[in-house]
Amino acid sequence: MNVLLTGGCGYIGSHVAVVLMSEGHDAVIVDNLSNSRREVVDHIAQIVGRPPTFYQGDVGEFEFIRDVIRRHRIDSVIHLAGFKSVGESVQRPLQYYQNNVCGALGLLHAMEAESVSSLVFSSSATIYGDPQYLPVDEAHPQHVINAYGRSKLHIEDMLRDICISRPSLGVICLRYFNPVGAHPSGLIGDRPNGIPNNLMPYVVQVACGERDFLSVFGGDYRTPDGTGVRDYIHVMDLAEGHVAALNYLSTNNGWHAFNVGTGRGYSVLEMIRAFEGESGRAIPYKITARREGDVACSYADIRAAALELNWKATRSLEDMCSSAWRFQSRLSKA
Ligand code: NAD
Ligand code: UFG
């Protein structure tokens, strides 16, 4: 299959590219490198043994995307390109709507013009807001509380409408929980620009001495140890979930949404301990005030993906931590 991967140089997209290409598919990456580096393309090639096709450009540019789709006879699209920082989206909502929603619109117009009828979209568990019950299933009410989440929900809703108007179209919205870890080679991984917002990249930077300590945001949540609980999923499991989604779309049309998690939550302190165990490094931390917008506990009901996509996460917490550490150690040596 010829698959267009938007945002394929990013953290998740690069792992999806590796898994897709390893299974014999051809990956065509479009990325404007606003949050990634060109060298990722070489690292993907090094892992897989052949290079993906790469275009530097914006997913919202209709003519450009249409031309890529036509030239490479694209069968399916995996749309990962977008901005993803919750905090930044509160400060700069227009940029988030512009890049995420308008970007998706440009892509969708191009897909329609070229009759591409299969799309996997990177959505987020953030659209559920503060869980009213656990585990969170796909029918959970949606209570977005920031522009990032709302941009994801707008796109999900647009996709629903488009599926009604074009019955031949098949769309899967994958609602990611908390992707962490890296490819076992240590060649690709999570490498955010600037100060990391997310827990795991911050922890690895503390472990290698780039930062003095981790601020644990809140120690008084109603959770077993008082710190926030999340459903961390290995990025390689997540990447494999995308291939399962594409396979599903080869025989199913219409709009679908699936949670992508492990179904198990870990607290911040459990994550610190697991990481210390795998890296052999101490992670100094201080419990500080809660971060605005954080929920106490969130983990996924994963039955729908297991049943429909025939996919389940298999990698352990230890694997998530050791692979993240391997990636960071290689970066630190470079
Ligand atoms: P990332 O920032 O590492 O990757 C996104 C990639 O998209 C980057 O390479 C960036 O340069 C590119 N990009 C951004 N806007 C673009 C545009 N207009 N045109 C072309 N390229 C563009 O992020 P990630 O963690 O790999 O996330 C991928 C997707 O998954 C995003 O849509 C994100 O919202 C979603 N998601 C991520 C998480 C997470 O915790 N990482 C959780 C839920 C959902
Ligand atoms: N945390 C800390 N210190 C930090 C960073 C995070 O204590 O320096 C805590 C948070 O308070 C939370 C947990 O670690 O309890 C996880 O926080 P992350 O920022 O890693 O992840 P979030 O659950 O807040 O959000 C992530 C992505 C969103 C996505 C969501 C889906 O950032 O884009 O998962 O569940 F939508």
Side-chain angles (χ1 to χ4, degrees), residues 124 126 148 177-178 198-199 215-217 230 232 291 294:
S124 168
T126 200
Y148 166 68
F177 278 68
N178 290 58
N198 296 117
L199 178 66
S215 295
V216 174
F217 299 140
R230 295 289 183 280
Y232 297 94
R291 181 172 65 179
D294 270 355

Side-chain angles (χ1 to χ4, degrees), residues 83-101:
F83 292 156
K84 63 164 179 176
S85 163
V86 170
E88 189 183 52
S89 81
V90 176
Q91 304 304 323
R92 309 174 69 198
L94 274 179
Q95 278 85 342
Y96 271 67
Y97 289 121
Q98 179 70 42
N99 195 49
N100 293 3
V101 180

Side-chain angles (χ1 to χ4, degrees), residues 54-219:
F54 172 66
Y55 291 92
Q56 183 170 351
D58 199 288
V59 70
E61 282 180 26
F62 169 76
E63 287 299 347
F64 161 62
I65 297 292
R66 182 176 186 175
D67 185 53
V68 171
I69 290 176
R70 196 187 292 140
R71 193 177 307 170
H72 296 278
R73 300 170 182 274
I74 294 297
D75 303 298
S76 298
V77 176
I78 302 183
H79 178 42
L80 303 111
F83 292 156
K84 63 164 179 176
S85 163
V86 170
E88 189 183 52
S89 81
V90 176
Q91 304 304 323
R92 309 174 69 198
L94 274 179
Q95 278 85 342
Y96 271 67
Y97 289 121
Q98 179 70 42
N99 195 49
N100 293 3
V101 180
C102 297
L105 273 173
L107 170 70
L108 290 167
H109 276 298
M111 284 177 62
E112 184 169 84
E114 292 302 317
S115 305
V116 180
S117 59
S118 157
L119 171 72
V120 177
F121 169 59
S122 296
S123 189
S124 168
T126 200
I127 64 168
Y128 297 122
D130 198 353
Q132 294 176 6
Y133 56 84
L134 291 164
V136 179
D137 61 22
E138 288 83 355
H140 187 284
Q142 293 160 351
H143 288 300
V144 281
I145 51 170
N146 52 62
Y148 166 68
R150 207 159 281 121
S151 74
K152 292 288 176 193
L153 201 50
H154 281 330
I155 297 168
E156 281 206 6
D157 288 343
M158 280 180 349
L159 293 172
R160 244 187 241 264
D161 290 336
I162 298 167
C163 282
I164 293 168
S165 77
R166 257 183 84 194
S168 61
L169 187 61
V171 170
I172 291 184
C173 300
L174 291 179
R175 295 175 179 163
Y176 307 161
F177 278 68
N178 290 58
V180 294
H183 187 269
S185 64
L187 282 167
I188 53 173
D190 196 1
R191 195 181 174 189
N193 291 331
I195 301 172
N197 292 304
N198 296 117
L199 178 66
M200 189 57 108
Y202 206 104
V203 166
V204 292
Q205 292 192 6
V206 173
C208 68
E210 275 181 42
R211 309 205 178 267
D212 294 338
F213 64 91
L214 170 78
S215 295
V216 174
F217 299 140

Side-chain angles (χ1 to χ4, degrees), residues 222-297:
R222 281 173 159 225
T223 58
D225 65 19
T227 66
V229 169
R230 295 289 183 280
D231 186 337
Y232 297 94
I233 174 168
H234 198 298
V235 68
M236 289 300 293
D237 279 327
L238 178 68
E240 288 165 7
H242 289 73
V243 179
L246 283 184
N247 290 341
Y248 182 84
L249 289 177
S250 63
T251 50
N252 292 276
N253 298 338
W255 183 96
H256 311 268
F258 296 105
N259 286 340
V260 192
T262 64
R264 160 100 158 78
Y266 289 99
S267 74
V268 177
L269 296 185
E270 284 176 310
M271 292 301 284
I272 293 174
R273 268 182 233 115
F275 190 84
E276 287 179 331
E278 290 306 308
S279 65
R281 301 282 176 105
I283 305 296
Y285 68 87
K286 291 182 188 167
I287 305 234
T288 62
R290 292 180 179 191
R291 181 172 65 179
E292 207 172 328
D294 270 355
V295 304
C297 188

